[in-house]
Amino acid sequence: MRQFSQLLDSLVYTRSRNGKLALIAAYMRDAPDPDRGWALAALTGNLDLKAVKASAISEMIRARTDPVLYEMSRDYVGDLAETVALLWPKGEEQPAELDDGSLSLSAVIDRLHSVSRAAAPDALAQMMDHLDASGRFALLKLATGGLRVGISARLAKTGFAHAFNLDVDDVEQVWHALAPPYTALFDWAEGRSARPDPEGTPYFRPFMLAHPLEADSVDLNDYAAEWKWDGIRIQIVGTGTETRLYSRAGDDISGSFPEIAQAFAGHAVLDGELLVKGDTQGGEAASFNALQQRLGRKAVTAKMMTDYPAFVRLYDLLIEGEDDLRTLPWTDRRARLEAYMALLPPDRFDLSALIDAPDFEALADIRAGARDAAIEGVMLKRRDSPYVAGRKAALWYKWKRDPLTADCVMMYAQRGHGKRSSFYSDYTFGCWTEDGELLPVGKAYSGFTDEELKWLDRFVRQNTLNRFGPVREVEKTLVLEVAFDSIHGSKRHKSGLAMRFPRIARIRKDKPAAEADRIEGLKRLVS
Amino acid sequence: MAHWIEPHPTGIYVRPADAWIDPSLPQARALVTHGHADHARGGHDHVWATRETLAIMGLRYGTASGTAVGYGEEIRLGGVTIRYVPAGHVLGSAQIILEHAGERIVVTGDYKRRPDPTCLPFQPVPCDIFVTEATFGLPVFRHPDTGGEMDRLLHALHANPDRCVLVGAYALGKAQRVICELRARGHHDPIYIHGALERMCALYADFGIDMGELRPATGVAAKEMRGAIVVAPPSALNDRWSRRLPDPITAMASGWMRVRQRARQKNVELPLVISDHADWDELTDTIRDVAPNETWITHGREEALLHWCMTHQMRARALALVGREEEDEG
């Protein structure tokens, strides 16, 4: 257990993605079987245990320690599992802070698998006595379901792939043919057996991505234009008996959108944009803001599904039945997709329409006139392009809508993370109300050059009014031109506004703060 | 009982001696337990403290005047017999033992019970009133074995030969202790130190604490510090200062590191639970050892220790002294 608990601790404290990958890779190489397979299941969210309730854990500790001291401790520490892990009184004969090595991760998993809900607290208590604080924390996190160490399933798989010099997409392909503790996967990775056969399982295929358009124009005889929708890119994989939905990162998000998975019974792989219907637009796609209500939720309530009904706007057809269409030109795939639409329920699936423009100038006009909240820009796809993984030059371009901008006043600053960790690089900025009050409208931590960052950092240090923990309030004198993709109503901020992807476009040293934009003006930009 | 000492928010007043213990405001007569800034302030007319503490105060405030009191030596002030006994907290730290009118009072200042190569170990003195700190007065605070924490530090160092390990440690006490503990684990490479530690390390060396080869971290090429340990005050960890270092692994030596979120908030990658304060077990064991009629708790998480005393049929009260507990000290 110690190896696993040390891995979790290190993942908690490591900020960089590469650092996390290296930790996971080292663990996957060094840990024994089947522990490492169970760890991989835990990290990818594929560990299916009957969760022990938090209340059962509270009860367990109250029976073993002074409840008042427990309450004070929990109040101070914040997290239940961590409080109990630190507070756990071991028996007289056990050394207080030692993982005695008698429990392997797989023994823990076996015990949690087999124990009844009623007997779980006693079983947990017995195991806790053999562990140190880190081990108890790991055990409680496993038992309550959800490690929450800030890594995605895709990152865990990438770490695994790094450990054995495999391609993560190759791992992804075989993944769904396998189950924890993934013995066949490790056998293949270490060359003891052939690659597991993923046929017949709904596995993820890497997405084709686009470059930003940098040329002044393209020839529409070579490129087809369609809208770029502002939802989340999704892949639908159906085997005829099972359907899964994958995010761009390759994470299985079927559980978050069960109505989509249930509405698809085909044997095909499709590429599209997941959106929710907004009633203000007469049943058209709503803004990203509405979709956000549905993201990152493990359990979906019926009310969520009614209030924010999801549908998929389809872009491409990769595989139909046994036919892999990815090598065909886009024109042929598009024709197959259009024909395939007839098989799909129209309330959950529609087709991403092509933009009919005689030439590039006309397209530019259409793009400039588009005010639909769910449109992020225009996609340009080479008519003869195959469907290939990743970004390939000159095949697909994204031509985003020009950003909106506003002149805002810097209000607060906070130190950043990673390479910016010593600089004040996260800025909260505001605009004026009619009464001359400054209200925050957003927060940005990108868009500036390294030189500008140094200047901004110095400005913050020299113009600090107040400190609130890590946050500094600054003199309201500096105007920042902020670029953003769109702006929406939001209950979260006092200004009632929330920007999508705000970034610092320019530092307006020349502009007096009083001449920054007003909240009223921003409200007119709400889409 | 003991109407002759009075707790005030600004310190403890010893009436018959007309003297204050660790006063936070300038006073005519001050008895100082140790050199940390929240206990030893400048500006007193006369100070009684150990030779080491006087030297530390001299370094910090430029006023070395005062009467040096040796450990175990007895002095008398206005009918009170006063002794300084090792507290095991930092170099020169002392508990102050007061005897008057047939009663004995022990004021611990800050203390710990586990071994520290830079100072003498805490001596429990049975007493009538025990005035204790409670910085880590919650049962979640159980400091692990120091050797194990040092091993984790050295493991991280050896596993990353192209990086350095930057250890945040309070400038008085923790920094020197960490360096000595590393030497005791067989690490004899030069250790680089932040400018803010230089004078204090020199003072420790003057008192015979051997810390091996120390080099200033300022003015040294980054590549020279690859594979080395760098010690700096906690405030320098996330500051621009640390940008001069070769891809540092940020470590922090503090009792607060026991709690994950506290470590994460400080952007610490390698939390080292090493404290100069008593943990929960040390606090409660010490109260049992000295078996006082009454326990007074000066600062920290006093509610929990108060609750523990009451549930163990011991009289206790919280004093709520102001200005104590610089968090970096943990």
Side-chain angles (χ1 to χ4, degrees):
Chain A
M1 192 67 170
R2 186 160 164 78
Q3 223 173 342
F4 179 65
S5 66
Q6 292 302 304
L7 171 68
L8 288 192
D9 271 1
S10 305
L11 288 172
V12 165
Y13 298 123
T14 304
R15 304 255 172 188
S16 84
R17 182 173 184 275
N18 285 340
K20 289 180 194 216
L21 287 175
L23 287 167
I24 296 168
Y27 176 88
M28 292 301 158
R29 272 193 303 266
D30 300 343
D33 287 317
D35 278 15
R36 52 185 179 165
W38 289 117
L40 191 57
L43 293 173
T44 53
N46 286 290
L47 199 56
D48 196 15
L49 295 170
K50 285 170 295 213
V52 181
K53 284 216 168 72
S55 57
I57 304 214
S58 297
E59 242 168 78
M60 200 169 95
I61 190 75
R62 283 164 185 282
R64 284 171 175 79
T65 187
D66 183 323
V68 175
L69 292 178
Y70 161 65
E71 288 299 338
M72 287 177 177
S73 299
R74 175 150 189 208
D75 202 42
Y76 182 84
V77 174
D79 181 82
L80 169 74
E82 181 162 16
T83 310
V84 175
L86 293 174
L87 206 52
W88 189 256
K90 288 175 99 167
E92 287 294 319
E93 67 280 8
Q94 282 115 352
E97 267 312 319
L98 185 78
D99 183 325
D100 67 14
S102 65
L103 272 179
S104 65
L105 174 60
S106 38
V108 167
I109 303 279
D110 284 348
R111 190 88 183 94
L112 291 173
H113 262 304
S114 59
V115 75
S116 71
R117 183 158 274 174
D122 279 344
L124 268 183
Q126 277 170 18
M127 292 191 279
M128 301 264 280
D129 281 343
H130 293 283
L131 300 171
D132 61 4
S134 294
R136 293 192 291 268
F137 177 76
L139 171 63
L140 290 170
K141 286 292 180 191
L142 287 171
T144 49
L147 297 174
R148 283 184 288 273
V149 286
I151 61 162
S152 68
R154 177 76 171 180
L155 188 76
K157 289 174 198 167
T158 308
F160 171 85
H162 281 200
F164 303 105
N165 293 317
L166 297 169
D167 178 28
V168 64
D169 291 322
D170 211 16
V171 172
E172 204 70 75
Q173 286 194 14
V174 302
W175 184 262
H176 295 284
L178 306 167
Y182 305 112
T183 314
L185 185 68
F186 284 93
D187 284 348
W188 166 56
E190 294 182 328
R192 284 186 298 277
S193 70
R195 182 173 184 267
D197 184 2
E199 274 330 298
T201 61
Y203 66 85
F204 171 74
R205 274 77 169 180
F207 277 101
M208 179 160 179
L209 305 171
H211 276 289
L213 180 68
E214 276 161 8
D216 291 335
S217 77
V218 297
D219 187 343
L220 294 187
N221 290 319
D222 297 333
Y223 287 86
E226 68 181 314
W227 294 116
K228 177 170 170 46
W229 297 98
D230 190 14
I232 59 170
R233 191 85 179 274
I234 188 178
Q235 183 174 98
I236 304 162
V237 185
T239 60
T241 51
E242 193 184 355
T243 298
R244 283 185 198 266
L245 313 177
Y246 293 102
S247 70
R248 220 183 86 164
D251 286 334
D252 184 346
I253 54 167
S254 317
S256 302
F257 298 93
E259 72 268 48
I260 300 291
Q262 278 155 24
F264 188 89
H267 182 191
V269 178
L270 293 125
D271 181 347
E273 195 85 12
L274 185 76
L275 297 156
V276 304
K277 280 193 180 117
D279 43 24
T280 51
Q281 284 103 342
E284 275 299 294
S287 67
F288 188 80
N289 212 29
L291 177 61
Q292 267 182 330
Q293 310 297 323
R294 291 285 306 264
L295 295 180
R297 289 177 193 266
K298 268 199 166 166
V300 189
T301 62
K303 184 166 171 9
M304 292 296 301
M305 288 195 269
T306 319
D307 289 354
Y308 303 100
F311 70 101
V312 179
R313 190 154 279 171
L314 293 165
Y315 293 137
D316 216 319
L317 178 60
L318 283 61
I319 294 169
E320 186 181 1
E322 300 296 321
D323 287 353
D324 193 335
L325 313 181
R326 285 178 287 181
T327 51
L328 299 181
W330 172 85
T331 320
D332 293 8
R333 293 200 310 279
R334 176 76 190 186
R336 294 280 288 262
L337 174 64
E338 285 175 13
Y340 195 81
M341 291 308 298
L343 304 173
L344 296 173
D347 60 328
R348 295 294 178 202
F349 301 93
D350 67 12
L351 182 66
S352 171
L354 300 181
I355 305 170
D356 193 15
D359 54 36
F360 195 80
E361 266 177 37
L363 179 65
D365 287 343
I366 295 171
R367 168 177 167 272
R371 301 278 11 136
D372 188 328
I375 288 176
E376 211 189 335
V378 168
M379 290 295 299
L380 296 160
K381 296 179 175 174
R382 245 195 104 86
R383 294 176 190 273
D384 59 2
S385 65
Y387 193 99
V388 286
R391 275 186 190 90
K392 290 286 179 315
L395 294 183
W396 286 9
Y397 292 111
K398 55 186 172 191
W399 188 23
K400 285 202 181 183
R401 220 154 60 168
D402 290 334
L404 301 162
T405 62
D407 288 335
C408 308
V409 181
M410 187 196 285
M411 301 179 70
Y412 304 96
Q414 203 171 350
R415 283 181 183 176
H417 295 305
K419 69 185 173 102
R420 294 186 175 143
S421 65
S422 58
F423 288 106
Y424 285 91
S425 63
D426 297 9
Y427 313 108
T428 302
F429 43 81
C431 288
W432 300 105
T433 64
E434 296 295 286
D435 307 330
E437 193 189 350
L438 206 52
L439 291 183
V441 295
K443 192 173 173 181
Y445 39 85
S446 65
F448 35 75
T449 64
D450 288 353
E451 283 308 307
E452 285 173 324
L453 174 59
K454 276 187 197 156
W455 189 89
L456 286 164
D457 177 68
R458 205 168 335 120
F459 173 84
V460 172
R461 289 169 191 269
Q462 290 171 357
N463 292 276
T464 298
L465 286 179
N466 274 308
R467 294 170 196 221
F468 309 98
V471 178
R472 288 193 183 202
E473 182 182 6
V474 296
E475 297 269 9
K476 315 298 182 303
T477 53
L478 182 67
V479 177
L480 300 170
E481 183 181 318
V482 177
F484 49 97
D485 286 0
S486 57
I487 188 162
H488 309 280
S490 163
K491 290 188 197 111
R492 216 180 314 164
H493 301 120
K494 201 176 165 193
S495 63
L497 294 169
M499 289 175 174
R500 174 131 157 84
F501 191 35
R503 59 266 186 197
I504 308 296
R506 278 197 296 167
I507 306 171
R508 295 293 305 268
K509 298 175 202 170
D510 57 314
K511 194 161 189 172
E515 289 174 24
D517 281 318
R518 292 177 194 281
I519 302 270
E520 284 311 305
L522 283 183
K523 282 189 176 154
R524 285 194 288 275
L525 300 175
V526 168
S527 46
Chain B
M1 186 180 8
H3 49 276
W4 53 275
I5 76 163
E6 298 165 7
H8 291 267
T10 54
I12 290 167
Y13 181 56
V14 186
R15 181 167 291 286
D18 187 24
W20 291 76
I21 298 177
D22 291 353
S24 58
L25 296 175
Q27 300 292 352
R29 284 137 81 94
L31 309 172
V32 174
T33 58
H34 67 284
H36 279 144
D38 52 340
H39 294 260
R41 311 263 167 165
H44 307 307
D45 293 341
H46 202 99
V47 173
W48 283 264
T50 61
R51 202 160 59 86
E52 296 86 344
T53 299
L54 286 177
I56 291 163
M57 290 175 75
L59 189 66
R60 293 192 150 178
Y61 306 117
T63 51
S65 76
T67 304
V69 185
Y71 287 123
E73 183 189 329
E74 279 192 2
I75 55 168
R76 287 184 65 82
L77 280 180
V80 184
T81 304
I82 302 170
R83 262 191 308 145
Y84 283 45
V85 167
H89 178 56
V90 296
L91 178 70
S93 66
Q95 311 172 64
I96 298 180
I97 318 295
L98 308 161
E99 288 177 359
H100 178 71
E103 280 178 335
R104 185 189 290 152
I105 297 172
V106 172
V107 180
T108 64
D110 292 332
Y111 70 99
K112 67 173 174 292
R113 301 297 299 269
R114 56 192 71 212
D116 178 340
T118 67
C119 60
L120 295 172
F122 179 93
Q123 275 176 30
V125 178
C127 56
D128 298 295
I129 296 182
F130 186 59
V131 184
T132 180
E133 62 138 325
T135 303
F136 291 110
L138 271 178
V140 288
F141 291 111
R142 290 199 164 90
H143 309 323
D145 173 54
T146 309
E149 299 299 285
M150 284 297 148
D151 288 346
R152 294 201 301 119
L153 167 55
L154 290 170
H155 175 79
L157 182 73
H158 297 142
N160 296 281
D162 290 338
R163 305 177 67 183
C164 71
V165 180
L166 170 61
V167 184
Y170 194 63
L172 165 56
K174 187 69 63 60
Q176 296 78 17
R177 177 179 170 207
V178 166
I179 293 167
C180 288
E181 294 280 6
L182 284 166
R183 299 309 188 200
R185 303 301 275 188
H187 180 78
H188 296 297
D189 295 349
I191 291 175
Y192 292 85
I193 57 173
H194 185 281
L197 303 181
E198 284 176 21
R199 291 197 302 162
M200 197 58 78
C201 288
L203 184 147
Y204 265 61
D206 287 346
F207 279 98
I209 310 288
D210 178 13
M211 284 171 283
E213 188 184 352
L214 303 181
R215 292 182 184 172
T218 318
V220 178
K223 65 176 191 306
E224 264 184 59
M225 290 185 277
R226 280 190 197 146
I229 290 175
V230 182
V231 183
S235 57
L237 292 187
N238 293 316
D239 196 41
R240 281 179 295 188
W241 180 85
S242 64
R243 301 198 138 230
R244 72 190 66 222
L245 304 175
D247 192 13
I249 297 168
T250 307
M252 168 103 158
S254 161
W256 301 112
M257 294 297 106
R258 176 93 163 146
V259 177
R260 278 178 184 75
Q261 286 312 323
R262 295 292 287 252
R264 272 178 63 82
Q265 277 161 12
K266 295 194 179 290
N267 283 329
V268 170
E269 293 169 84
L270 181 66
L272 303 169
V273 188
I274 301 174
S275 176
D276 284 332
H277 292 271
D279 69 5
W280 176 257
D281 291 332
E282 292 170 54
L283 289 170
T284 53
D285 287 350
T286 304
I287 293 174
R288 285 193 180 102
D289 285 350
V290 302
N293 289 325
E294 201 169 309
T295 300
W296 294 5
I297 305 164
T298 54
H299 62 288
R301 262 114 302 274
E302 58 266 18
E303 308 90 340
L305 197 58
L306 205 55
H307 175 83
W308 181 88
C309 288
M310 298 204 293
T311 55
H312 289 74
Q313 279 75 49
M314 297 180 193
R315 284 153 64 101
R317 59 187 282 206
L319 304 186
L321 295 194
V322 294
R324 290 293 160 82
E325 194 172 279
E326 303 292 318
E327 180 152 311
D328 283 346
E329 263 190 71

